[in-house]
Amino acid sequence: MKAVHVVQGTAVPLDRSDVDTDQIIPSDWLKRVERTGFEKGLFSEWRDGEDFVLNDEAYAGANILIGGPNFGTGSSREHAVWAIQQYGFDAVISPRFGPIFKNNSTKNGLVPVEVSAEVAETLMKAVQDDPSLEIMIDIKRRSLEAPAIGLEATFPLDDSVQERFLKGLDDIGITLTLDADISTFESSRPAWMPRGA
Amino acid sequence: MGRTLSQKVWDNHLVHSGDGEPDLLYIDLHLVHEVTSPQAFDGLRLTGRTVRRPELTIATEDHNVPTADIDKPIADEVSRAQVETLRKNTDEFGITNYPMGHPDQGIVHVIGPELGLTQPGMTVVCGDSHTSTHGAFGALAFGIGTSEVEHVLATQTLPQPAQETMAITINGELPEGSSAKDVVLAVLGAVGTGGGIGAIAEFRGPVIEALSMEGRMTVCNMSIEFGAKAGLIAPDQTTFDYLAGRRNAPTGADWDAAVAAWSELKTDPDAVFDREVIIDGKDIVPHVTWGTNPGQVIPLDANIPSPSDFSDPTEADAANRALEYMGFEAGTPMKNIAVDTVFIGSCTNSRIEDLRAAAEVAKGRKVANGMRTLVVPGSGRVKAQAESEGLHEIFIEAGFDWREPGCSMCLAMNPDKLSPGERSASTSNRNFEGRQGRGGRTHLVSPAVAAATAIAGHFATPGDLS
């Protein structure tokens, strides 16, 4: 994956809780065998409604998505992350993420910014009031800032995940350096364990 | 201090651990299906990597497959291409695949256990969030994304950050007419969709111990709906009896060694869980979801709630949206709500015991006029077993549509879909907006409630039928 150090820009306020991955990318889109072309499917059922925030010109060009709590719950489909990124978002801010979505995000360089409910709400309102509000997310400092409203917050990111973001590392490559450990473990597995069919 | 069951299974699979790094866990069984794997196989080809342990990897076709006319090619070209891609990939990398129409084909979480591939103490992964199902055997089983599918194919391991532990204890016993589905729906009502995030849940207590393996799989299946990394249950005699004689289960002296090892897999008495939830089984009546996430659930004889019933403004707002989407007036008794479609199937409730429970209700009765019904067995083996017991005849006689195995209307990737505004009673696991078809309205229930609802025409328990 590509290295990510800072995400800077404006945000779209998606003010609802429990945005599950079926909403992010409906199952019809999962039939594709490619890894690209999912941007058209992003929130496709909601985007038909004129009032949907993604259709609001004021938010055109935004590269950060702000969601309510439990963002990305449900299905494990990594297509949800691909769709969000391919549409043009580099980070998602939420008070709480679905665990598989969050993990998938970190494998693709989409920054999951988990902040307190208060910070998320403050930011949501501020962006609703001023769509041009500048937001800066710094991976190294694990920080979220919106200087115009005096907002500063930090977010959790495991050391190893942070390092992968900063260096753009390939997970599989890292694991394959432990090949000898894997072989040692394999030699200790009981012979009766299933070998499929 | 003692360790919990999940900590023991975790520790038993530790390949490598280091400060500031996630633990590297060995994966005993990797299940693969057509939807979340194509890009992973592409990744292997791009980097020139191979599948490290093809014999620990099993594939099947389930999400896209039609449940009728399976002797013909899949009509939807994009679905057909995806299924054909799986066949090509499994051929190229030497992986066993159970294709549409094969007697062992079925929903990936149904076939793993029934072939004896899922065993206590194992680590099981699949590019599918309902992999938690396999936790019913005391396995550490969880859903992964496509990048992780590629990682497991290439290395047979996964880096995993530490998780909290969560005990969900169901005391006492269930009232007559309640099932495993009602247990997990009641848990969802108690903890909400985010209550398990960051934790591995262990279901325990007398109600869980009294459940069959099918029932335990139903409970563990929906662990992901409250956000848990995994859900599991300590193996016991019920588990061993289920496994004995299955195709991939050990035999002879190996069986004895395995049972001895499996019997150690339980939480130590002095282990401490990070989170605890305790529910009294006697309070678990038949449940139904009324909204658009699985935490929006009520007893079947309750009224549809009002946003003002929720003190949390986020929940009130979500309730408001859900009422609008579902086309509901707050305060309406749930049992007054008519449904158009009944779906009995999915990795949650498509096993033989589920079909027996639904058939018992259907026997000698007729489905309501104009009701669309689908009974979709979880696998070729479940279908064959049901037919050997004559269950299909009971369903057909009652007016139910008896289908071929697959995921079907759980997620509407095949032709089985709801139309906009249609309402279903479904034994599946997700009532998200549009989950069963664009604009469709889904209510999650147990197999017995689904069958009774098909007959009554509105939400009903078997006890409500004359």
Side-chain angles (χ1 to χ4, degrees):
Chain A
M1 83 185 196
K2 253 182 22 192
V4 185
H5 295 264
V6 170
V7 175
Q8 192 165 5
T10 57
V12 176
L14 180 57
D15 193 6
R16 44 176 104 187
S17 67
D18 291 278
V19 175
D20 57 77
T21 55
D22 273 83
Q23 307 316 313
I24 298 172
I25 185 97
S27 65
D28 263 354
W29 286 85
L30 310 191
K31 297 178 183 181
R32 298 166 53 80
V33 297
E34 300 84 7
R35 211 177 177 118
T36 53
F38 291 100
E39 63 278 6
K40 288 201 194 85
L42 179 68
F43 299 120
S44 62
E45 297 201 4
W46 291 345
R47 263 160 83 182
D48 285 351
E50 281 177 21
D51 296 344
F52 186 54
V53 68
L54 234 51
N55 296 330
D56 187 337
E57 286 288 325
Y59 297 103
N63 64 336
I64 298 167
L65 183 62
I66 310 176
N70 302 326
F71 187 94
T73 49
S75 158
S76 66
R77 57 190 71 173
E78 198 158 316
H79 315 64
V81 171
W82 301 334
I84 289 173
Q85 280 187 309
Q86 288 162 17
Y87 185 87
F89 293 111
D90 302 314
V92 184
I93 301 171
S94 163
R96 192 162 54 200
F97 288 99
I100 307 178
F101 174 85
K102 187 178 177 187
N103 200 26
N104 288 341
S105 297
T106 68
K107 307 289 180 188
N108 289 275
L110 176 70
V111 187
V113 183
E114 199 164 73
V115 294
S116 69
E118 276 175 347
V119 167
E121 209 164 298
T122 303
L123 205 55
M124 186 81 77
K125 286 208 173 77
V127 171
Q128 284 167 339
D129 291 344
D130 176 12
S132 67
L133 183 77
E134 275 284 322
I135 295 171
M136 189 159 83
I137 295 156
D138 187 317
I139 304 294
K140 188 150 193 199
R141 296 170 53 217
R142 297 179 171 103
S143 67
L144 166 75
E145 288 175 39
I149 56 164
L151 183 140
E152 279 181 43
T154 56
F155 62 93
L157 204 60
D158 288 346
D159 291 351
S160 62
V161 175
Q162 182 193 44
E163 193 189 354
R164 282 197 292 104
F165 268 111
L166 292 173
K167 295 184 178 164
L169 296 177
D170 163 24
D171 248 5
I172 299 177
I174 299 172
T175 297
L176 286 174
T177 64
L178 298 166
D179 186 63
D181 291 324
I182 302 173
S183 297
T184 305
F185 183 90
E186 280 177 330
S187 64
S188 72
R189 297 176 78 235
W192 47 260
M193 292 200 73
R195 282 149 218 273
Chain B
M1 193 174 75
R3 292 178 300 161
T4 67
L5 167 61
S6 67
Q7 288 167 331
K8 290 182 184 182
V9 180
W10 186 288
D11 292 349
N12 287 346
H13 289 83
L14 211 49
V15 170
H16 174 84
S17 64
D19 280 347
E21 295 171 39
D23 287 343
L24 188 67
L25 299 184
Y26 197 79
I27 303 302
D28 292 316
L29 176 64
H30 185 192
L31 299 164
V32 172
H33 62 80
E34 76 275 16
V35 179
T36 54
S37 65
Q39 297 87 351
F41 285 110
D42 273 348
L44 292 183
R45 275 187 290 266
L46 275 172
T47 49
R49 289 171 178 146
T50 57
V51 176
R52 184 181 179 97
R53 298 296 298 268
E55 78 284 17
L56 305 184
T57 314
I58 297 288
T60 193
E61 301 160 5
D62 55 4
H63 283 62
N64 281 271
V65 299
T67 55
D69 299 325
I70 63 164
D71 52 329
K72 301 188 184 75
I74 299 176
D76 179 330
E77 280 176 33
V78 194
S79 285
R80 189 167 74 230
Q82 190 164 58
V83 166
E84 283 168 0
T85 301
L86 179 71
R87 292 177 189 177
K88 273 188 234 152
N89 283 330
T90 49
D91 273 355
E92 179 182 340
F93 290 96
I95 295 165
T96 300
N97 177 41
Y98 296 117
M100 184 171 79
H102 189 285
D104 292 331
Q105 177 268 347
I107 304 174
V108 68
H109 308 308
V110 175
I111 71 165
E114 74 186 4
L115 294 174
L117 289 164
T118 305
Q119 297 178 9
M122 287 173 62
T123 45
V124 181
V125 297
C126 175
D128 191 289
S129 58
H130 293 111
T131 308
S132 55
T133 310
H134 307 265
F137 291 79
L140 179 60
F142 51 92
I144 58 179
T146 298
S147 294
E148 291 177 308
V149 170
E150 186 179 337
H151 195 118
V152 178
L153 289 171
T155 70
Q156 205 58 37
T157 65
L158 262 188
Q160 288 295 313
Q163 301 286 320
E164 291 191 359
T165 56
M166 178 177 189
I168 300 176
T169 306
I170 318 286
N171 285 323
E173 50 185 298
L174 292 181
E176 182 81 25
S178 291
S179 71
K181 183 64 162 284
D182 301 305
V183 170
V184 73
L185 289 176
V187 170
L188 271 152
V191 306
T193 51
I197 291 178
I200 297 172
E202 181 181 334
F203 297 98
R204 48 209 320 245
V207 166
I208 300 297
E209 287 162 23
L211 290 176
S212 66
M213 287 315 293
E214 284 87 350
R216 294 178 190 186
M217 285 189 253
T218 298
V219 171
C220 289
N221 172 274
M222 289 185 72
S223 304
I224 185 64
E225 309 311 338
F226 55 92
K229 174 86 187 172
L232 75 180
I233 294 169
D236 59 11
Q237 196 57 44
T238 303
T239 321
F240 309 149
D241 290 346
Y242 176 96
L243 275 165
R246 292 195 183 257
R247 190 156 88 204
N248 288 280
T251 54
D254 285 342
W255 171 261
D256 298 335
V259 169
W262 297 341
S263 301
E264 300 294 314
L265 295 169
K266 50 179 77 125
T267 293
D268 293 327
D270 59 340
V272 178
F273 288 89
D274 298 309
R275 309 179 200 173
E276 288 250 26
V277 175
I278 298 169
I279 295 175
D280 195 334
K282 75 172 179 350
D283 298 333
I284 301 179
V285 294
H287 274 61
V288 57
T289 60
W290 59 270
T292 54
N293 75 57
Q296 292 175 325
V297 63
I298 49 173
L300 199 68
D301 55 12
N303 299 341
I304 294 163
S306 154
S308 63
D309 295 342
F310 299 91
S311 53
D312 179 296
T314 305
E315 280 186 52
D317 181 51
N320 207 21
R321 282 181 196 284
L323 289 178
E324 191 187 328
Y325 182 85
M326 299 301 279
F328 276 155
E329 291 280 338
T332 312
M334 204 66 212
K335 284 185 175 174
N336 289 3
I337 304 294
V339 311
D340 310 294
T341 296
V342 167
F343 171 60
I344 297 172
S346 87
C347 58
T348 313
N349 280 127
S350 65
R351 298 178 182 81
I352 189 65
E353 184 182 283
D354 302 315
L355 301 188
R356 285 178 190 144
E360 191 184 320
V361 178
K363 192 168 189 172
R365 296 188 166 110
K366 294 282 182 197
V367 302
N369 264 343
M371 177 76 66
R372 174 164 65 140
T373 55
L374 283 89
V375 184
V376 181
S379 69
R381 286 175 169 236
V382 170
K383 181 167 187 261
Q385 175 69 28
E387 290 183 348
S388 77
E389 296 178 18
L391 303 185
H392 64 311
E393 284 162 356
I394 294 173
F395 285 123
I396 292 165
E397 181 66 23
F400 286 83
D401 204 351
W402 177 247
R403 296 294 188 95
E404 302 291 341
C407 299
S408 181
M409 198 184 268
C410 174
L411 84 169
M413 280 190 77
N414 78 346
D416 308 333
K417 293 179 200 290
L418 293 182
S419 302
E422 259 191 312
R423 192 179 297 286
S424 77
S426 175
T427 66
S428 55
N429 39 57
R430 289 189 172 135
N431 51 338
F432 297 154
E433 286 182 29
R435 171 79 177 180
Q436 295 189 294
R438 190 172 183 142
R441 294 160 169 167
T442 301
H443 299 274
L444 305 177
V445 294
S446 70
V449 168
T453 300
I455 286 151
H458 53 82
F459 286 104
T461 63
D464 295 330
L465 303 175
S466 50

mmCIF file of all heavy atoms in Angstrom, chain B residues 9 11 28 54 56 61 68 77 79 125 133 186 202 246 293 363 368 380 407 412 425 441 456:
data_model
loop_
_atom_site.group_PDB
_atom_site.id
_atom_site.type_symbol
_atom_site.label_atom_id
_atom_site.label_comp_id
_atom_site.label_asym_id
_atom_site.label_seq_id
_atom_site.Cartn_x
_atom_site.Cartn_y
_atom_site.Cartn_z
ATOM 1 N N VAL B 9 -6.984 -20.815 23.332
ATOM 2 C CA VAL B 9 -6.913 -21.138 21.895
ATOM 3 C C VAL B 9 -5.927 -20.184 21.210
ATOM 4 O O VAL B 9 -5.115 -20.590 20.375
ATOM 5 C CB VAL B 9 -8.310 -21.064 21.237
ATOM 6 C CG1 VAL B 9 -8.208 -21.407 19.749
ATOM 7 C CG2 VAL B 9 -9.295 -22.002 21.931
ATOM 8 N N ASP B 11 -3.332 -18.606 22.587
ATOM 9 C CA ASP B 11 -1.950 -18.952 22.963
ATOM 10 C C ASP B 11 -1.457 -20.207 22.230
ATOM 11 O O ASP B 11 -0.279 -20.311 21.893
ATOM 12 C CB ASP B 11 -1.842 -19.178 24.479
ATOM 13 C CG ASP B 11 -2.049 -17.882 25.269
ATOM 14 O OD1 ASP B 11 -2.061 -16.803 24.642
ATOM 15 O OD2 ASP B 11 -2.238 -17.960 26.501
ATOM 16 N N ASP B 28 -5.685 -22.764 11.272
ATOM 17 C CA ASP B 28 -5.865 -24.198 11.006
ATOM 18 C C ASP B 28 -6.766 -24.474 9.817
ATOM 19 O O ASP B 28 -6.614 -25.493 9.141
ATOM 20 C CB ASP B 28 -6.487 -24.879 12.237
ATOM 21 C CG ASP B 28 -5.534 -24.915 13.410
ATOM 22 O OD1 ASP B 28 -4.352 -25.239 13.199
ATOM 23 O OD2 ASP B 28 -5.974 -24.610 14.541
ATOM 24 N N PRO B 54 -2.532 -25.495 0.698
ATOM 25 C CA PRO B 54 -3.820 -25.682 -0.002
ATOM 26 C C PRO B 54 -4.724 -26.705 0.688
ATOM 27 O O PRO B 54 -5.947 -26.600 0.611
ATOM 28 C CB PRO B 54 -3.417 -26.145 -1.413
ATOM 29 C CG PRO B 54 -1.941 -26.305 -1.411
ATOM 30 C CD PRO B 54 -1.380 -25.690 -0.185
ATOM 31 N N LEU B 56 -5.279 -27.056 3.768
ATOM 32 C CA LEU B 56 -5.992 -26.460 4.903
ATOM 33 C C LEU B 56 -6.973 -25.384 4.418
ATOM 34 O O LEU B 56 -7.496 -24.597 5.203
ATOM 35 C CB LEU B 56 -5.009 -25.841 5.908
ATOM 36 C CG LEU B 56 -3.915 -26.762 6.458
ATOM 37 C CD1 LEU B 56 -3.072 -26.039 7.516
ATOM 38 C CD2 LEU B 56 -4.509 -28.040 7.060
ATOM 39 N N GLU B 61 -19.116 -22.672 -3.402
ATOM 40 C CA GLU B 61 -19.870 -21.616 -4.079
ATOM 41 C C GLU B 61 -21.191 -21.466 -3.347
ATOM 42 O O GLU B 61 -21.963 -22.412 -3.268
ATOM 43 C CB GLU B 61 -20.106 -22.043 -5.543
ATOM 44 C CG GLU B 61 -18.796 -22.287 -6.280
ATOM 45 C CD GLU B 61 -18.941 -23.141 -7.535
ATOM 46 O OE1 GLU B 61 -20.081 -23.484 -7.916
ATOM 47 O OE2 GLU B 61 -17.906 -23.467 -8.140
ATOM 48 N N ALA B 68 -32.815 -22.441 -7.684
ATOM 49 C CA ALA B 68 -33.704 -23.192 -8.579
ATOM 50 C C ALA B 68 -32.959 -23.380 -9.899
ATOM 51 O O ALA B 68 -32.064 -22.600 -10.220
ATOM 52 C CB ALA B 68 -34.999 -22.419 -8.802
ATOM 53 N N GLU B 77 -24.905 -13.009 -15.725
ATOM 54 C CA GLU B 77 -23.551 -13.176 -16.269
ATOM 55 C C GLU B 77 -22.450 -12.804 -15.274
ATOM 56 O O GLU B 77 -21.398 -13.427 -15.251
ATOM 57 C CB GLU B 77 -23.378 -12.299 -17.512
ATOM 58 C CG GLU B 77 -23.987 -12.914 -18.749
ATOM 59 C CD GLU B 77 -23.882 -11.982 -19.942
ATOM 60 O OE1 GLU B 77 -22.893 -11.240 -20.030
ATOM 61 O OE2 GLU B 77 -24.823 -12.004 -20.765
ATOM 62 N N SER B 79 -22.619 -12.886 -11.965
ATOM 63 C CA SER B 79 -22.555 -13.954 -10.951
ATOM 64 C C SER B 79 -21.836 -15.175 -11.515
ATOM 65 O O SER B 79 -21.002 -15.791 -10.840
ATOM 66 C CB SER B 79 -23.964 -14.377 -10.518
ATOM 67 O OG SER B 79 -24.540 -13.417 -9.674
ATOM 68 N N VAL B 125 -10.755 -19.126 9.774
ATOM 69 C CA VAL B 125 -11.063 -17.818 9.186
ATOM 70 C C VAL B 125 -11.725 -18.009 7.827
ATOM 71 O O VAL B 125 -11.626 -19.062 7.205
ATOM 72 C CB VAL B 125 -9.814 -16.919 9.012
ATOM 73 C CG1 VAL B 125 -9.185 -16.580 10.344
ATOM 74 C CG2 VAL B 125 -8.812 -17.545 8.057
ATOM 75 N N THR B 133 -19.625 -18.387 13.418
ATOM 76 C CA THR B 133 -20.443 -19.605 13.567
ATOM 77 C C THR B 133 -19.633 -20.769 14.143
ATOM 78 O O THR B 133 -20.107 -21.518 15.003
ATOM 79 C CB THR B 133 -20.973 -20.050 12.180
ATOM 80 O OG1 THR B 133 -21.570 -18.932 11.537
ATOM 81 C CG2 THR B 133 -21.948 -21.191 12.290
ATOM 82 N N ALA B 186 -32.033 -11.764 21.899
ATOM 83 C CA ALA B 186 -32.143 -11.128 23.218
ATOM 84 C C ALA B 186 -30.800 -10.534 23.650
ATOM 85 O O ALA B 186 -30.749 -9.446 24.243
ATOM 86 C CB ALA B 186 -32.638 -12.142 24.253
ATOM 87 N N GLU B 202 -17.469 -15.159 25.000
ATOM 88 C CA GLU B 202 -17.715 -16.573 25.300
ATOM 89 C C GLU B 202 -19.142 -16.702 25.834
ATOM 90 O O GLU B 202 -19.503 -16.066 26.828
ATOM 91 C CB GLU B 202 -16.725 -17.109 26.342
ATOM 92 C CG GLU B 202 -16.972 -18.592 26.640
ATOM 93 C CD GLU B 202 -16.029 -19.188 27.680
ATOM 94 O OE1 GLU B 202 -14.896 -18.674 27.845
ATOM 95 O OE2 GLU B 202 -16.435 -20.172 28.334
ATOM 96 N N ARG B 246 -17.692 -38.020 11.717
ATOM 97 C CA ARG B 246 -17.729 -37.128 10.538
ATOM 98 C C ARG B 246 -16.461 -37.299 9.708
ATOM 99 O O ARG B 246 -15.419 -37.711 10.211
ATOM 100 C CB ARG B 246 -17.935 -35.678 10.971
ATOM 101 C CG ARG B 246 -19.312 -35.504 11.552
ATOM 102 C CD ARG B 246 -19.789 -34.100 11.691
ATOM 103 N NE ARG B 246 -21.098 -34.162 12.327
ATOM 104 C CZ ARG B 246 -22.258 -34.016 11.680
ATOM 105 N NH1 ARG B 246 -22.280 -33.742 10.390
ATOM 106 N NH2 ARG B 246 -23.397 -34.126 12.344
ATOM 107 N N ASN B 293 -31.335 -2.345 12.168
ATOM 108 C CA ASN B 293 -30.112 -3.015 12.615
ATOM 109 C C ASN B 293 -30.515 -4.082 13.632
ATOM 110 O O ASN B 293 -31.595 -3.981 14.234
ATOM 111 C CB ASN B 293 -29.065 -2.016 13.144
ATOM 112 C CG ASN B 293 -29.384 -1.463 14.507
ATOM 113 O OD1 ASN B 293 -29.555 -2.214 15.464
ATOM 114 N ND2 ASN B 293 -29.489 -0.144 14.612
ATOM 115 N N LYS B 363 -46.569 -28.639 9.465
ATOM 116 C CA LYS B 363 -47.223 -29.929 9.235
ATOM 117 C C LYS B 363 -48.754 -29.819 9.335
ATOM 118 O O LYS B 363 -49.293 -29.364 10.354
ATOM 119 C CB LYS B 363 -46.716 -30.952 10.253
ATOM 120 C CG LYS B 363 -47.120 -32.359 9.905
ATOM 121 C CD LYS B 363 -46.375 -33.379 10.751
ATOM 122 C CE LYS B 363 -46.674 -34.758 10.180
ATOM 123 N NZ LYS B 363 -45.853 -35.781 10.800
ATOM 124 N N ALA B 368 -50.469 -18.768 4.239
ATOM 125 C CA ALA B 368 -51.514 -17.779 3.986
ATOM 126 C C ALA B 368 -51.579 -17.448 2.499
ATOM 127 O O ALA B 368 -50.572 -17.530 1.782
ATOM 128 C CB ALA B 368 -51.232 -16.516 4.795
ATOM 129 N N GLY B 380 -26.095 -29.261 0.522
ATOM 130 C CA GLY B 380 -26.596 -30.450 -0.136
ATOM 131 C C GLY B 380 -26.885 -31.562 0.865
ATOM 132 O O GLY B 380 -27.856 -32.298 0.733
ATOM 133 N N CYS B 407 -26.812 -19.221 -0.063
ATOM 134 C CA CYS B 407 -27.070 -18.095 0.846
ATOM 135 C C CYS B 407 -28.407 -17.428 0.536
ATOM 136 O O CYS B 407 -29.053 -16.860 1.421
ATOM 137 C CB CYS B 407 -25.961 -17.053 0.747
ATOM 138 S SG CYS B 407 -24.334 -17.686 1.185
ATOM 139 N N ALA B 412 -29.375 -11.521 -1.007
ATOM 140 C CA ALA B 412 -29.907 -11.135 -2.314
ATOM 141 C C ALA B 412 -28.837 -10.958 -3.386
ATOM 142 O O ALA B 412 -28.902 -10.054 -4.189
ATOM 143 C CB ALA B 412 -30.735 -9.855 -2.190
ATOM 144 N N ALA B 425 -40.402 -11.960 6.899
ATOM 145 C CA ALA B 425 -39.976 -12.590 8.150
ATOM 146 C C ALA B 425 -38.873 -13.538 7.726
ATOM 147 O O ALA B 425 -39.090 -14.406 6.881
ATOM 148 C CB ALA B 425 -41.119 -13.352 8.794
ATOM 149 N N ARG B 441 -37.942 -4.788 3.343
ATOM 150 C CA ARG B 441 -38.039 -4.593 4.800
ATOM 151 C C ARG B 441 -37.933 -5.943 5.482
ATOM 152 O O ARG B 441 -38.814 -6.800 5.341
ATOM 153 C CB ARG B 441 -39.376 -3.934 5.129
ATOM 154 C CG ARG B 441 -39.481 -2.518 4.584
ATOM 155 C CD ARG B 441 -40.914 -2.073 4.490
ATOM 156 N NE ARG B 441 -41.002 -0.630 4.227
ATOM 157 C CZ ARG B 441 -42.121 -0.018 3.858
ATOM 158 N NH1 ARG B 441 -43.243 -0.706 3.719
ATOM 159 N NH2 ARG B 441 -42.133 1.282 3.641
ATOM 160 N N ALA B 456 -49.932 -17.771 9.366
ATOM 161 C CA ALA B 456 -50.878 -16.767 9.867
ATOM 162 C C ALA B 456 -51.003 -15.571 8.909
ATOM 163 O O ALA B 456 -52.032 -14.897 8.884
ATOM 164 C CB ALA B 456 -50.428 -16.285 11.248
#
